Amino acid sequence: MVQQVTPETTIEVIYPESDGQPMADNTEQFAWIVKIKENLEILFASLADVFIAGDLFWYPVKGSPNIKQAPDTLVVFGRPKGKRGSYLQWDEDNIPPQVVFEILSPGNTLKEMTKKLQFYQRYGVEEYYIYDPEKNDLNGLLRSGDSFEVIEEMNGWVSPRLGIRFQLTSDTLEIFSPSGQKFLSPVEIDQLREQERQRAEQERQAKEAALEELEKERDRYQELLAKLKEKGIDTDNL
């Protein structure tokens, strides 16, 4: 009797792209997530190998779908831009996000934030920034070996990886690009774009008006020459 050998069945591991939870708990938290993520996109738009995402599941360990986090914003140097349903680290040359941001809301618990800190510390994050808009409180942690060290003074701190500068005012956080450009909300960016469009339009109109006036002067000059010639004056020797 010949014994049949049944091949082992490979079970496909599913890595969910959503947990069904909202991206943010309130409008202010969402606004900050969008501001940081989109301004970083603008800052690194010309670099094809900087991937930036917001609220994207990061899976650092293949075969372990329960090991995951979805930072409010993550930045990965060394990986191409493009669409992703999640960040599967083993498919990304095993490069972890180097920088992550978390924006706090009243719903965040100490237990939750401790788990996130331990996760980011364990799986290779280099810079971890936490901002609480309600308290206007900014904290940062920087990798030192296998652990994080608290950045003692965040006011004026410049991110080693991003080159951006954090500035705390009396009521809010301001972030500046390496060139000194302030991070703006989408509405502020649109307003700035509209101001630039209006300025360019005013310059165009002023240029057209100057050319029109010059043309009128030329016509007046030609009329004067014609009148002088009618009177027999040799205009070539004027």
Side-chain angles (χ1 to χ4, degrees):
M1 180 178 179
V2 178
Q3 185 177 2
Q4 295 289 333
V5 178
T6 304
E8 293 183 5
T9 302
T10 302
I11 301 175
E12 182 183 4
V13 180
I14 304 298
Y15 302 91
E17 297 179 357
S18 173
D19 58 3
Q21 298 298 313
M23 179 177 176
D25 291 342
N26 54 56
T27 55
E28 187 170 22
Q29 184 190 27
F30 181 78
W32 272 104
I33 293 171
V34 171
K35 177 186 282 191
I36 291 173
K37 189 263 184 187
E38 292 305 313
N39 279 271
L40 289 175
E41 292 272 22
I42 294 170
L43 179 60
F44 293 103
S46 63
L47 299 180
D49 63 344
V50 180
F51 173 66
I52 299 165
D55 195 42
L56 185 74
F57 269 139
W58 161 26
Y59 292 94
V61 182
K62 187 174 183 179
S64 300
N66 292 326
I67 301 176
K68 66 182 184 299
Q69 280 294 340
D72 287 335
T73 300
L74 61 80
V75 184
V76 191
F77 290 85
R79 296 307 302 154
K81 301 182 189 304
K83 297 179 180 179
R84 291 166 174 80
S86 58
Y87 190 81
L88 307 176
Q89 188 171 313
W90 54 94
D91 287 339
E92 306 282 357
D93 286 346
N94 206 35
I95 300 176
Q98 293 95 350
V99 185
V100 298
F101 291 83
E102 293 286 355
I103 307 300
L104 298 185
S105 72
N108 291 124
T109 64
L110 177 60
K111 180 179 179 181
E112 175 191 0
M113 297 312 297
T114 299
K115 287 178 65 176
K116 287 185 177 184
L117 187 152
Q118 292 172 340
F119 181 96
Y120 298 147
Q121 181 173 265
R122 179 174 183 179
Y123 292 108
V125 170
E126 297 176 11
E127 301 176 39
Y128 176 26
Y129 299 106
I130 311 114
Y131 181 56
D132 184 342
E134 185 176 352
K135 297 179 179 178
N136 190 29
D137 184 43
L138 175 66
N139 289 281
L141 298 107
L142 192 65
R143 177 164 294 278
S144 177
D146 294 329
S147 62
F148 281 140
E149 287 188 358
V150 174
I151 301 169
E152 296 297 339
E153 181 55 70
M154 282 303 302
N155 198 18
W157 172 260
V158 176
S159 161
R161 272 287 189 175
L162 306 176
I164 61 177
R165 177 171 56 86
F166 301 93
Q167 197 71 45
L168 284 164
T169 69
S170 59
D171 57 357
T172 192
L173 168 66
E174 294 181 342
I175 306 175
F176 298 88
S177 71
S179 66
Q181 177 66 47
K182 182 181 174 181
F183 276 26
L184 302 173
S185 70
V187 171
E188 291 171 328
I189 291 173
D190 184 67
Q191 290 173 341
L192 195 64
R193 186 185 297 114
E194 177 61 20
Q195 290 172 6
E196 180 61 25
R197 187 197 67 77
Q198 291 179 1
R199 185 193 63 78
E201 178 63 18
Q202 290 171 356
E203 288 184 354
R204 184 190 67 78
Q205 292 177 356
K207 184 176 181 180
E208 287 183 353
L211 290 173
E212 184 177 345
E213 184 61 30
L214 182 63
E215 189 66 28
K216 288 179 181 179
E217 284 292 328
R218 188 180 295 113
D219 290 343
R220 286 194 289 268
Y221 178 70
Q222 293 299 327
E223 289 176 3
L224 176 61
L225 290 179
K227 289 179 180 180
L228 292 174
K229 286 182 179 180
E230 287 176 0
K231 294 180 179 181
I233 298 174
D234 184 4
T235 57
D236 293 333
N237 293 322
L238 290 177

